[in-house]
Structures are given as C-alpha cells and as structure tokens.
Amino acid sequence: MFKSPKTVLLVLALLLSSSWNVQANGKKVRAGNRSDAIILPSIFPELPSAVINYVRPNLLYGLSRYAGPAGMWHPKKGFFVQSTNPSFYGLNFPTTGGNGLYFDLLITGIDVRDLTWEPVTHEGITATVTNVVANDHSIPSEDRGKVVARVTLIGPYAGRRHSFWKIDKIPKPRLPQTFELVGRHIGTGDEVVKYGFVLKQWFVDLQRTFKYSGYTAGLCNRAGYEMPRNKDLTNASIESNGNNRGKYSKYNSYTRYIDAGFFSEWGCMRYDNTAFRALPYWSMRTSNIDKRDIVSATYGSIGWPDVNSLERFICVSNLKP
C-alpha cells in the first residue's frame, strides 16, 4: 500500500487526469457517464488511539508499606501518568536519574513494534527508547515476557578510570531539563503518542566503599557534585524530610512517590548494566548536615553508622531545595 499521503495524492491526481482525457477525446460519451467518480479503497486509515497508562520502574518493594498513594502508584504496574500537558511534565516520573537506569512505557491501543522513537539529549543526558521483551524478576507473571517500550537514561558517571583514592571531575548537567519522547508510526511517521518528564537531579555512584572520614567526606565535592541529604534519597519518616513532608512514609522505609527522593522513585537498586547497588549509601542528615547517616538502596530506610562502617558513596548534581 502507499507509504505516505503525498504519494496517495499524486496517484489520485494522475487517475483523475487520465479519466478526464478519456472523456474529452473519446468519440462517444454517454449521458450520465460518471467515469470521473473514481472509487478507491480507504487510503487514509485512522491512526491507532494509543495511550500510555503507566510508567514502570523496578516494582520490587512496591507493595504494602512501600506502596505509594492510589492515584500515583499501582503496585503491579508502576506510576500512573500524572500529566500529558507539557506545562506539567514535572509531575511525571522520573524527576531523578542516573546512568543506566531504565523504565517501561506501558502502552495500549497499538503494538509498540509499530512505533519508532528518536533519542532526546539534554546536558549530556540521553533518553533512548527501545523495544524489549520485559523479563525483569519484579514484573508480575501476567505481564512478564511482553514486548514493551523501554526508556534508558545514559549520562555522566564515575568510571573505573579513576584510581581508588583519586576522584576526577565528573561532568555535571545543568538541571532541571525537560525530556519529551515522541512515538511515531513506523509506516507514516505520524505522531501517535508521547511522554514527557523533567529531570531535576542526577546521581552518580562512585563505585567505592569507604569509612566516613575527613578525606572521604569531600569525595563528592572533588567530583564536582554534592553529598546527598536523606531527603534527596528517601521519604522515610525517621526524621522531618523538609520538602518531602506530605510525601513521607509512615515507616522507616520509602513509599513509592514521585519527586520524593531517588530511591522513593526508582525503588530497589537492582537494575542491569548500572553502577548502583541495593546497598547502604552514605548520606547527610536532613535536619543536621553535620551528622552522617546511611540510607538503604533496597528499602529506603535510614540507619546510623558506627565508627567502623564501610559504605558506598553516592553523589548528586544538586540538592533538593
């Protein structure tokens, strides 16, 4: 069939021209001859009405005490789309990101294999969409094995090129930045569906485990980043989490909530092909930055280290207001 509307219009014009020439030059034209009424099959089928219902990060620890509010989080599907209005993309997941993290767009109304997506890049961060067979262990059995559109974030990270003790500068994106992903029909190129979000913070795992000391306290700063506070990582309610107030958990663990901490959004840090690990990370206490805590990247819980604690270092591009 014809691949584009322009091709169709050209063919239609040629057919009409041929019809008129036959009538004008023919020896006999019967009254009522309607050879100019050319009947063609439907050449402008309606595009599918596609809808993104959910965006799905790791669902592990998304039930019961970890589940977010009903209008935001579905324990078996992920986050609800909060807005399709570009002016309010900042309400959507994710507001935080890190190299190699990914989430799935759960789309109905079209086979995702009929869509094509262009990568979007801002400030050295690229969001790409590829079709994958989703077999992550956190996905419910009824959805496992289905083809989905998977969004992967690629951006600055702390590479192994650094020596164990020496940390070089890591490129730091200027945030916030708005990302709009547009799914177009693979045959016509027409826009079918789109999804937008605003990244406000970028996290890097230094891939190192240290005791907290005068030297290691400055690792993030030497990389050009900040050491996160508890509220940058979790909405656990062990302390008043400032901007996360109203978004906090009732427990010493995260609840899945947009814009309420890195782990609160992304959940347990069990993602393939990323440096982040489901382990405790050093953090500053929100209410007293001179105090150091540890935050679990499995549950989002806040703990108190002892003098011999060896934990991983995570850094953030900018602190939450």
Side-chain angles (χ1 to χ4, degrees), residues 158-170:
R160 296 284 186 182
R161 67 185 183 278
H162 304 294
S163 70
F164 188 77
W165 287 101
K166 185 177 182 296
I167 300 292
D168 294 332
K169 291 284 186 182
I170 301 170

Side-chain angles (χ1 to χ4, degrees), residues 57-131:
N58 189 344
L59 299 179
L60 194 61
Y61 301 110
L63 297 167
S64 187
R65 65 186 287 174
Y66 304 103
M72 182 178 290
W73 176 257
H74 189 297
K76 292 187 175 183
K77 299 292 185 181
F79 288 108
F80 288 93
V81 176
Q82 300 296 301
S83 181
T84 57
N85 184 337
S87 298
F88 298 101
Y89 280 166
L91 299 176
N92 289 334
F93 168 87
T95 67
T96 60
N99 185 63
L101 293 176
Y102 53 85
F103 60 93
D104 299 332
L105 303 176
L106 303 189
I107 304 172
T108 57
I110 192 172
D111 186 329
V112 296
R113 289 167 289 196
D114 291 334
L115 296 175
T116 182
W117 309 74
E118 289 293 325
V120 178
T121 300
H122 298 298
E123 287 293 309
I125 300 170
T126 299
T128 61
V129 185
T130 54
N131 293 335

Side-chain angles (χ1 to χ4, degrees), residues 222-242:
R222 284 192 283 278
Y225 280 65
E226 305 277 353
M227 174 175 278
R229 295 166 297 180
N230 291 344
K231 73 175 183 179
D232 296 299
L233 298 174
T234 183
N235 57 356
S237 63
I238 199 70
E239 66 164 328
S240 173
N241 268 338

Side-chain angles (χ1 to χ4, degrees), residues 3 20 30 61 116 119 133 136 177 218 227 245 290 296 308:
K3 290 187 176 181
W20 290 331
R30 292 181 299 171
Y61 301 110
T116 182
V133 178
D136 305 65
Q177 293 290 333
M227 174 175 278
R245 186 174 297 176
D290 292 326
S296 167
N308 295 313

Side-chain angles (χ1 to χ4, degrees), residues 97-101 120-128 152-159 161 170-173 179 199 202-205 225 273-276:
N99 185 63
L101 293 176
V120 178
T121 300
H122 298 298
E123 287 293 309
I125 300 170
T126 299
T128 61
T152 303
L153 302 179
I154 301 297
Y157 65 97
R161 67 185 183 278
I170 301 170
K172 184 170 71 172
F179 290 76
L199 284 184
W202 186 257
F203 289 80
V204 294
D205 183 320
Y225 280 65
N273 303 315
T274 185
F276 301 104

